[in-house]
Every structure is written in C-alpha cells, then in structure tokens.
Amino acid sequence: MQEVYKNIVSEKENKLLAVLIDPENEHLWQIAPKIKKINSSAATHIFVGGSTDPDSRTDAVIKEIKKHTALPVVIFPGDTNQISASADALLFLSLISGRNPDYLIGKHVTAVPKIIEAGLDVIPTAYILIEGGSVSAVERVSKTKPLSINNIETIVKTAKAGELLGMNLVYLEAGSGASFPIPEEVIRAVKNNLNIPLIVGGGVKTKEQLEAAYEAGADMVVVGTAFEQNTSVFETQLNQKMIIK
Ligand code: 1GP
C-alpha cells in the first residue's frame, strides 16, 4: 500500500513527468503504440482520467495500458465510474478551489465501496483549479470558478489548507488545453509554503514551459494535450535534457 505515493515522495527531487491519457479519446488499438512512445520517453507515470467518461471506458483502457508498460498507472478521476482495480493508485481529488459539495466530498462518499473493493493505493489530493485563459472542462463539469492568477495569496492559502487537512499532494490545474500554464510565480509561491509534493498541469506544451514549471518548484508536471496532438513531442522536446529516471 502507498507504494506509488512513497515513490513520488522519494523521487520528487528528480522531477517527475506524468502523461495523461483521457479514456474518452482512446481507441484500444491505439494504446500499444502510444504506450511504447511513453515508455521510451522521460515519463515516470501514466495518469488516466478525464472530466467525463460517458461510456465508462476507463477500466478497459487501463487494462490495455498495463499490458504494455511497467510505469505506475494512476487514476485521475473526473467521476466515480473511472475507478478501476487495474490501476496502481488513485488520486482522490477534492476540488478545494471550488465550493461545489459534490466535488469537495459528495462523489467521494459515493465512491467508497468501489475504492475499498478495488484495493487501490489512495492518494488524497488537494485539487486547485486556476485560470488558464479559457473555460476548462473541469470548470464546466464541476460548475466552479477557477482561482484568479492575480490572487496568489488565496491560491497559497488554499493549497496550505489542503495540506493542513491532511492531503498528501497538491495539484495546481490550469485545465486541459489551457491557453497558458500555471504561471511560475504562482508555482513558486505555493511551493515555498508547502511541505507536500506539488503537481502542476494544464497547458504545458513546450520544453521551455515544462522546465519553467520544474524550475519554479513543481515536483511533477502532467502533460496531456501536447502528447495527444503529437506523440513524438517527447522526442522532439521533452526528452532533451530531461533526466528523470
Ligand atoms: C489536465 O493537467 C492536465 O487535467 C493536463 O492538461 O491536456 O493541457 O496537458 P493538458
């Protein structure tokens, strides 16, 4: 139990990189070549999830991914139908930037029997949505507003509240496909006030943005859209100079 989390804590100095796979966009036959690319890239984790999964494809997608990789597969759930016993861990996300009770605690209660049955490594995660220049799926689905990048004090206090509530990770989210990623000054301010690992994601499209996030204090960066659009992005950009393993 907690192997994935222990590994994140012990390896975070090396800067971790998660590739996000959204089951809604995946055909099973596309997975093997995609995972091959990920295996030979700097990625250290595979996250699986999306704001919605209308056809409940997550379990099948994770089973297929697991056939082709030894990397830890972590569920990054948008809803309770994305819990799968085939994964290695689950980010138990509470959307603490918002005030929608369903995404703060409601769905969590509903998910408990499934989580217990699956025997997953559960990682309580403070999930904080921050403006990324466009309306994100998280904003649409959760019906919550992102925190303004101009209000760094509130972002820092929100992250710290997550830590003080006992959460094990903070995830700063600009939203999938964000116009711009989380600004460095936001990452730096949160990191300077935090004692738990910090994940940053949303809108990271270039090696420069990736390195800037690490430089500012991200322990792990999540990349989804850039990889979906070009599975060679790691060869051409992210893999250069990135020594992660
Ligand atoms: C979304 O943070 C992740 O939840 C990744 O975002 O798709 O913009 O890389 P992108």
Side-chain angles (χ1 to χ4, degrees):
M1 289 294 270
Q2 293 293 327
E3 280 312 307
V4 173
Y5 182 65
K6 275 191 219 151
N7 180 263
I8 289 174
V9 173
S10 64
E11 295 295 317
K12 69 183 168 62
E13 304 306 323
N14 297 327
K15 302 302 179 191
L16 304 166
L17 174 65
V19 175
L20 174 64
I21 293 185
D22 185 346
E24 202 179 336
N25 301 331
E26 290 304 322
H27 295 289
L28 291 183
W29 59 268
Q30 290 174 320
I31 288 177
K34 197 174 261 192
I35 300 302
K36 203 171 160 204
K37 292 263 188 189
I38 294 173
N39 287 338
S40 59
S41 78
T44 56
H45 293 75
I46 298 175
F47 281 9
V48 182
S51 291
T52 56
D53 178 12
D55 303 322
S56 295
R57 309 182 70 243
T58 304
D59 184 55
V61 166
I62 291 176
K63 283 197 172 94
E64 185 63 22
I65 292 171
K66 291 292 287 180
K67 285 186 203 162
H68 303 286
T69 190
L71 291 174
V73 176
V74 179
I75 305 169
F76 174 57
D79 214 325
T80 48
N81 67 340
Q82 294 175 32
I83 293 163
S84 159
S86 304
D88 297 296
L90 166 76
L91 296 189
F92 205 32
L93 305 169
S94 184
L95 183 60
I96 63 170
S97 52
R99 298 294 178 267
N100 180 340
D102 284 345
Y103 290 87
L104 282 164
I105 183 66
K107 287 181 182 288
H108 312 68
V109 175
T110 310
V112 162
K114 256 186 122 174
I115 292 173
I116 302 288
E117 194 191 333
L120 285 163
D121 178 350
V122 174
I123 308 174
T125 302
Y127 192 45
I128 301 176
L129 183 62
I130 293 171
E131 62 171 311
S134 46
V135 176
S136 65
V138 180
E139 177 176 349
R140 265 198 314 275
V141 171
S142 71
K143 300 188 177 61
T144 66
K145 289 286 166 207
L147 299 180
S148 164
I149 53 173
N150 298 318
N151 199 343
I152 294 185
E153 193 190 334
T154 299
I155 297 172
V156 169
K157 285 196 294 184
T158 303
K160 196 68 188 173
E163 179 186 312
L164 295 174
L165 279 165
M167 292 179 182
N168 287 346
L169 294 173
V170 167
Y171 189 137
L172 298 181
E173 172 70 274
S176 189
S179 308
F180 52 83
I182 307 285
E184 289 157 64
E185 56 269 35
V186 172
I187 299 173
R188 195 166 288 116
V190 170
K191 181 65 181 179
N192 284 341
N193 288 279
L194 210 60
N195 297 307
I196 53 177
L198 178 61
I199 301 180
V200 170
V204 175
K205 301 178 199 80
T206 66
K207 181 164 78 76
E208 287 71 27
Q209 289 171 330
L210 181 76
E211 289 182 343
Y214 289 137
E215 185 61 32
D219 298 304
M220 176 186 279
V221 176
V222 183
V223 176
T225 306
F227 188 77
E228 259 171 41
Q229 289 173 350
N230 172 15
T231 53
S232 299
V233 67
F234 293 103
E235 289 157 28
T236 53
Q237 296 186 349
L238 305 184
N239 224 7
Q240 295 164 18
K241 290 205 301 181
M242 299 295 307
I243 310 296
I244 291 199
K245 286 181 183 160

